[in-house]
Amino acid sequence: MESMIEVRRRTAVIEAESHKKMLELCWAFRAQLEDVQSRLSPADYSYVEALKTFLLRDRSV
C-alpha cells in the first residue's frame, strides 16, 4: 500500500505532465491559427488575434 506522501508525489508528477501537454497543445493550436489567419475575413482575423493573445497570456491552462 502506498503512503500518502507517495500518492501526493505521484499525483503531482501526473499533474505536471498533464499541464505540459496542455501547454504544448495550446502552442500547436496557436501555430495553426497563424497559418489560417491570412485567409480570414477581417472580423475572423480579429477573433483569431484575440485567441492568440489569450493563449499567450494564460500559461496556467
Side-chain angles (χ1 to χ4, degrees):
M1 185 171 175
E2 289 182 290
S3 72
M4 199 57 145
I5 292 172
E6 291 168 339
V7 170
R8 286 183 182 153
R9 186 197 60 76
R10 192 166 44 89
T11 301
V13 168
I14 291 169
E15 288 176 352
E17 290 171 354
S18 296
H19 181 76
K20 180 182 176 192
K21 288 177 187 175
M22 181 61 71
L23 287 175
E24 289 170 358
L25 287 171
C26 285
W27 283 106
F29 180 55
R30 187 180 189 282
Q32 289 177 350
L33 288 173
E34 287 182 350
D35 285 343
V36 300
Q37 193 171 14
S38 64
R39 300 183 298 268
L40 299 175
S41 70
D44 289 336
Y45 185 94
S46 296
Y47 180 66
V48 168
E49 273 300 306
L51 277 174
K52 285 172 32 185
T53 300
F54 169 78
L55 290 171
L56 281 174
R57 286 186 184 159
D58 191 10
R59 301 190 187 238
S60 64
V61 173

